[in-house]
Amino acid sequence: MALSTSRTLLRSFASLSPFARCSNSTSYGDSLWSSEPRAIFKGGSYFLAQRKLSSTSVLSLGSIEGAFPSLLQEWKLGFPSLSRALYCSTADFKKNELLELQEVEKVLSDVRADNVKVIPVQKHCAWADFMVIATGRSTWHVKNIAQALIYKVKQKQKGAQRLMLPSVEGQEGGKWIVIDSGKVVVHALDEKARDYYSLESLWTTGTSEKEPIQDLEKALVKIRRKNNSKKQAKKSA
Amino acid sequence: MAATFASKCSRVGRSLWGGLGNNLSGLLSASHETACNHFLSQQRTFIQMRTVLKVVDNSGAKKVMCIQALKGKKGARLGDTIIASVKEAYPNGKVKKGKVVYGVVVRAAMQRGRCDGSEVKFDDNAVVLVDKQGQPIGTRVFGPVPHELRQKKHVKILSLAGHIA
């Protein structure tokens, strides 16, 4: 099903190509491939493209056309490409992330978030490169951190045809807000939530250590059982 | 001459046996195939009311029964939220038996198509308990979880999970 939709897409794109090529190709191409967190999968971007086709009249296609034939080739080979392969194949044109690490750090220091920790998780996770954890002093502060990051993204994309916003979760609760912008995932928690979930221990120690080691050590130690009986101990004469 | 006669005999013999063999093997393969097909292509469906799911976080519940699938007329699939009632729980946990909770389906026996044409399915139905705002009740998620959660905006569960399928 995915194959047929992509072929129809290709045909429609080809028909639009002559005048689309003259328009500037940076913003739309980048937004389509690199920064949309939902479009990790090859086909995900196709479906996005399908929806956008209906809404816009002018498409900037320079970067997309370069990527389509390579993906078609991959399909002909018969191997579905993983998300990482997609990133590798589209690495020839510049990738503008929604949020860069330095920008995130700057925004967090502006908002005065406490205890900002950056954890590189390239080795553990295939879906993100950096996890940034920040604490807010109250729910309002946490919401403010999220708002500030989104504002930064909007500022960065000023003047672009369409705004590519990172996905935000937990906005109405205010206890734990996650801002997912592709490579960088920002977690804004309040103090209680940070202690409760302890995300650093998850990502710094490793992926498969679920049981803490201290319990194991305790389990192996022989403890003399407490004698709470009221019976007086028989004294052997 | 003897050689040719022998070869003719052998050819005939082979053809006879070939014919018989073909019939037998055909029958066998047909029956085997149908049995295999029926066995391997068991049709798995949605998660609906009365479906018992396993809980894969450390919130204290063990088994949970779906009472409502929040989206979808036929039922919930991988990545959807359900309302469930706790049927079995650990003695000291955050949730007790009989509590009505929300949950996010993280593993489903029904296959879910991915955008690149592949399908993903798991061996069991598993759920992670969440509250109404989407905050996970437990602090760790066990077992593999699929990528689909990212698209469905359950990045919190993904970040608590150890292994991502």
Side-chain angles (χ1 to χ4, degrees):
Chain A
M1 185 198 88
L3 254 170
S4 59
T5 50
S6 73
R7 289 219 182 98
T8 53
L9 264 175
L10 241 193
R11 261 183 255 128
S12 50
F13 274 148
S15 64
L16 281 167
S17 59
F19 84 88
R21 226 168 257 173
C22 44
S23 57
N24 121 45
S25 62
T26 49
S27 59
Y28 184 72
D30 296 333
S31 57
L32 182 62
W33 292 107
S34 60
S35 44
E36 176 62 60
R38 276 162 241 122
I40 299 174
F41 303 101
K42 180 161 73 164
S45 50
Y46 287 131
F47 284 88
L48 277 174
Q50 206 174 24
R51 269 183 260 134
K52 278 165 186 169
L53 234 180
S54 52
S55 54
T56 60
S57 52
V58 175
L59 288 172
S60 45
L61 278 181
S63 45
I64 300 172
E65 274 184 339
F68 263 127
S70 63
L71 287 163
L72 246 196
Q73 274 166 19
E74 281 170 353
W75 261 338
K76 278 177 194 156
L77 283 173
F79 298 116
S81 66
L82 295 166
S83 57
R84 266 289 177 239
L86 172 64
Y87 271 106
C88 294
S89 66
T90 56
D92 45 347
F93 53 89
K94 63 173 151 73
K95 289 193 289 178
N96 277 338
E97 300 288 332
L98 276 180
L99 275 173
E100 302 278 341
L101 196 58
Q102 288 86 20
E103 288 173 357
V104 167
E105 280 176 355
K106 191 166 165 300
V107 168
L108 287 175
S109 62
D110 283 340
V111 175
R112 268 168 288 176
D114 309 324
N115 208 356
V116 176
K117 276 221 180 93
V118 178
I119 303 171
V121 287
Q122 268 151 332
K123 289 163 204 131
H124 309 315
C125 304
W127 51 282
D129 279 343
F130 290 101
M131 299 276 189
V132 183
I133 315 176
T135 317
R137 282 181 282 274
S138 65
T139 47
W140 192 89
H141 193 199
V142 168
K143 282 187 194 171
N144 211 19
I145 295 173
Q147 290 288 344
L149 283 165
I150 297 174
Y151 183 64
K152 179 79 199 165
V153 171
K154 281 188 189 168
Q155 266 188 328
K156 209 174 148 186
Q157 290 178 8
K158 222 170 193 174
Q161 274 176 343
R162 51 176 7 97
L163 221 49
M164 220 54 203
L165 287 174
S167 69
V168 183
E169 283 173 41
Q171 182 70 32
E172 59 280 349
K175 292 226 174 78
W176 180 8
I177 301 185
V178 180
I179 297 177
D180 181 11
S181 59
K183 299 251 182 196
V184 177
V185 180
V186 186
H187 297 263
L189 315 141
D190 62 352
E191 203 48 64
K192 255 180 68 180
R194 193 161 184 160
D195 293 328
Y196 182 66
Y197 288 111
S198 66
L199 295 165
E200 296 101 328
S201 59
L202 241 187
W203 296 320
T204 44
T205 51
T207 47
S208 49
E209 303 204 47
K210 285 290 170 293
E211 275 133 326
I213 303 170
Q214 14 173 291
D215 275 352
L216 193 65
E217 283 168 15
K218 239 191 259 177
L220 291 174
V221 167
K222 183 167 177 168
I223 301 174
R224 189 172 273 185
R225 136 178 104 120
K226 269 185 176 180
N227 190 8
N228 283 333
S229 64
K230 299 276 166 59
K231 224 182 192 180
Q232 278 172 352
K234 274 187 191 168
K235 286 179 190 163
S236 56
Chain B
M1 177 117 144
T4 51
F5 183 71
S7 63
K8 266 192 206 154
C9 272
S10 60
R11 233 184 293 127
V12 161
R14 222 181 292 128
S15 66
L16 266 177
W17 169 243
L20 274 173
N22 271 342
N23 285 340
L24 271 174
S25 63
L27 276 172
L28 267 174
S29 65
S31 60
H32 186 60
E33 221 178 76
T34 49
C36 264
N37 274 342
H38 180 71
F39 184 64
L40 288 173
S41 67
Q42 192 177 3
Q43 187 61 28
R44 303 286 189 172
T45 52
F46 301 84
I47 291 170
Q48 46 189 324
M49 205 188 289
R50 304 286 280 182
T51 306
V52 174
L53 299 113
K54 204 164 78 162
V55 175
V56 289
D57 59 0
N58 55 357
S59 58
K62 276 195 259 192
K63 290 255 190 268
V64 113
M65 181 186 284
C66 172
I67 53 183
Q68 186 70 253
L70 283 175
K71 275 208 164 170
K73 204 159 86 167
K74 292 188 226 175
R77 301 158 83 189
L78 198 54
D80 290 340
T81 328
I82 60 167
I83 306 183
S85 151
V86 178
K87 290 293 177 190
E88 216 180 290
Y90 286 106
N92 349 305
K94 293 166 202 113
V95 295
K96 300 271 177 271
K97 182 178 156 186
K99 186 163 168 197
V100 173
V101 284
Y102 283 73
V104 170
V105 179
V106 295
R107 296 206 282 274
M110 180 164 124
Q111 68 274 5
R112 176 119 199 186
R114 287 197 163 165
C115 320
D116 58 356
S118 64
E119 285 179 340
V120 61
K121 67 179 171 189
F122 295 87
D123 276 337
D124 59 346
N125 298 317
V127 82
V128 167
L129 301 186
V130 235
D131 68 358
K132 243 186 174 157
Q133 273 83 35
Q135 295 264 89
I137 299 178
T139 57
R140 297 287 182 265
V141 171
F142 307 116
V145 289
H147 276 294
E148 270 81 1
L149 296 181
R150 195 174 193 178
Q151 262 186 325
K152 299 272 183 170
K153 299 225 181 175
H154 295 305
V155 184
K156 294 187 189 178
I157 299 172
L158 262 187
S159 59
L160 291 177
H163 177 49
I164 299 189

